[in-house]
């Protein structure tokens, strides 16, 4: 299925990890001791519950004797998160046990936050695939639903209201996560959003005892990360009695990999280390497909604010996401960095096209990447590395 060139490009990903001054000690984490080799990892539940200092000392040890710290990073991309879920299913089948048992830290932005929190809570990739298939059109209604929604919101929101009212998204997230609290996720989980009042990125961390948002429901933080400008209204997140207007974390870090790696380094370094040491890392980073729709010179030269409204979001998110991938690969090295992504040549690249036809096309893109695009071999290498470095 080929894409019409007359359709506007969709919003996608961006990265913007901000540097901070001096690194402070994490009140929830003891200062790590010097890592000691170990023949095998602790059991899955023990891995998730141990303080990071203990994990660093009793963690996976590769051929070099360097303990490995495992990071799973999941990009934003709306309904295209279906691709990620299909690739994760292949990894899950090869590992033979829940994915959360094989990673110390899971990070996600926008649709990636749905995936991250679902995996951290113990959901299987097949359940997440079903969520995209069954709830996609509830979250992203078709033309008829959009028109009716806009008509009912003209008085309250004006003519320039967001494309969707967000009720379908909120309902689906409440059904998926219920009353599960963010701080109760058994695996360390990061979710990226953006506070429009503070004009700053927010990186929510489930394990930080001093972060008030750990008491919020998971669905609230995921809704904050998924509320893409133009598509959904800002989400009113209440933290510690204060209401914060939150929008999609993709405007700050649609590919959250750099944020996750930075956190992994911080967690695995002595508090007084300057600069922090880069530990042995295994990083699995999953994209949601690469936009291939060109913007010709004449269009780029002539477009004004109205024409650029959607394409500029896509361009900014796509470009910075690619730069994030480059940075992480240089820091971690090709032996420990696994990036999964493919061009969307046979499916619509809109983040909100949840039609049955496009869902079928996205599934085709995902499976062909595994069978013909080298994805399956890369998944196999990742699985072998995770299992060969001491994972039981």
């Amino acid at each position: 299925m080929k894409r019409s060139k007359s359709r506007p490009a969709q919003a996608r990903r961006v990265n913007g990890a901000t540097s901070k001054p001096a690194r402070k000690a994490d009140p929830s984490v003891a200062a790590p001791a010097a890592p000691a080799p170990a023949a095998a990892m602790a059991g899955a539940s023990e891995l998730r519950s141990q303080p990071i200092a203990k994990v660093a000392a009793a963690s996976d040890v590769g051929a070099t004797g360097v303990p490995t710290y495992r990071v799973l990073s999941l990009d934003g991309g709306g309904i295209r998160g279906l691709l990620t879920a299909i690739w994760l299913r292949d990894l899950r089948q090869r590992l033979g046990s829940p994915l959360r048992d094989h990673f110390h830290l899971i990070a996600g932005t926008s649709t990636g936050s749905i995936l991250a929190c679902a995996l951290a809570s113990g959901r299987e990739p097949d359940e997440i695939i079903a969520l995209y298939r069954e709830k996609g059109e509830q979250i992203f209604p078709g033309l008829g639903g959009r028109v009716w929604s806009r008509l009912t919101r003209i008085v309250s929101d004006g003519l320039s209201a967001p494309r969707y009212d967000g009720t379908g998204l909120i309902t689906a997230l409440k059904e998926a996560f219920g009353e599960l609290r963010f701080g109760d996720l058994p695996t360390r989980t990061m979710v990226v959003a953006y506070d429009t009042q503070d004009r700053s990125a927010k990186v929510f961390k489930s394990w930080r005892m001093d972060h008030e948002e750990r008491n919020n429901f998971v669905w609230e933080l995921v809704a904050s990360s998924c509320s893409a400008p133009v598509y959904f209204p800002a989400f009113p997140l209440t933290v510690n009695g204060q209401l914060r207007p939150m929008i999609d974390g993709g405007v700050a870090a649609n590919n959250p990999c750099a944020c996750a790696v930075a956190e992994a380094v911080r967690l695995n370094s002595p508090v007084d280390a300057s600069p922090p040491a880069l530990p042995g890392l295994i990083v699995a980073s999953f994209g949601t497909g690469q936009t291939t729709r060109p913007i010709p010179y004449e269009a780029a030269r002539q477009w004004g604010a109205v024409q650029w409204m959607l394409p500029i979001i896509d361009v900014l998110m796509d470009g910075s996401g690619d730069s994030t991938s480059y940075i992480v690969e240089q820091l971690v090295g090709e032996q420990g960095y696994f990036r999964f992504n493919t061009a969307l040549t046979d499916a619509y690249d809109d983040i909100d096209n949840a039609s049955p036809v496009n869902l079928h096309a996205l599934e085709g893109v995902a499976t062909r990447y595994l069978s013909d695009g080298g994805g399956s071999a890369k998944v196999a290498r990742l699985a072998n590395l995770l299992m060969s470095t001491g994972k039981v």
Side-chain angles (χ1 to χ4, degrees), residues 11 16 38 41 63 91 130 165 168 181 193 218 231 242 306 319 336 347 352 356 359 367 373:
M41 285 186 65
L91 178 60
D165 59 18
R181 303 280 179 178
V218 167
Y231 294 91
Q242 295 186 337
V306 174
D352 62 339
L359 290 179
T367 55

Side-chain angles (χ1 to χ4, degrees), residues 29-249:
V29 177
M41 285 186 65
S45 60
E46 189 177 358
L47 168 66
R48 295 194 302 270
S49 61
Q50 288 177 346
I52 194 64
K54 192 172 181 181
V55 171
S59 188
D60 312 353
V61 179
T64 62
V66 177
T68 61
Y69 191 86
R70 290 100 170 277
V71 173
L72 177 60
S73 174
L74 306 164
D75 289 13
I79 196 63
R80 297 188 341 238
L82 177 60
L83 279 76
T84 306
I86 291 173
W87 297 335
L88 290 170
R89 178 176 62 187
D90 189 41
L91 178 60
R92 165 65 173 87
Q93 291 171 347
R94 292 178 184 276
L95 291 172
S97 55
L99 291 176
R100 70 176 183 178
D101 296 344
H102 296 269
F103 292 94
H104 299 88
L105 174 63
I106 304 177
T109 298
S110 195
T111 199
S113 72
I114 299 177
L115 290 153
C117 291
L119 293 174
S121 67
R123 300 290 182 84
E124 294 288 357
D126 275 329
E127 296 178 79
I128 305 172
I129 292 171
L131 174 67
Y132 283 106
R133 288 173 177 166
E134 297 168 8
K135 302 297 183 180
E137 287 192 297
Q138 173 184 323
I139 297 171
F140 301 112
L143 180 60
R146 290 204 306 269
V147 171
W148 176 251
S149 175
R150 290 292 295 273
L151 288 174
T152 59
R153 289 182 288 135
I154 287 178
V155 175
S156 60
D157 297 346
L159 293 174
S160 61
R163 182 174 291 184
Y164 307 101
D165 59 18
T167 57
L169 172 65
I170 301 303
T171 299
L173 294 178
K174 285 183 176 180
E175 292 175 355
F177 296 107
E179 296 187 353
L180 177 65
R181 303 280 179 178
F182 189 54
D184 291 334
L185 290 172
T187 302
R188 286 186 174 85
T189 308
M190 285 177 56
V191 169
V192 182
Y194 187 88
D195 186 331
T196 62
Q197 184 165 313
D198 281 353
R199 297 296 292 270
S200 62
K202 300 298 181 185
V203 181
F204 303 128
K205 305 172 186 179
S206 66
W207 67 96
R208 286 292 295 263
M209 301 300 293
D210 59 330
H211 284 203
E212 292 294 334
E213 67 271 6
R214 71 187 311 273
N215 297 315
N216 284 83
F217 293 124
V218 167
W219 72 263
E220 293 179 301
L221 299 185
V222 173
S224 299
S225 185
C226 288
S227 296
V230 178
Y231 294 91
F232 295 110
F235 181 77
L237 179 68
T238 300
V239 179
N240 198 25
Q242 295 186 337
L243 189 148
R244 317 301 301 183
M246 309 300 294
I247 63 173
D248 197 308

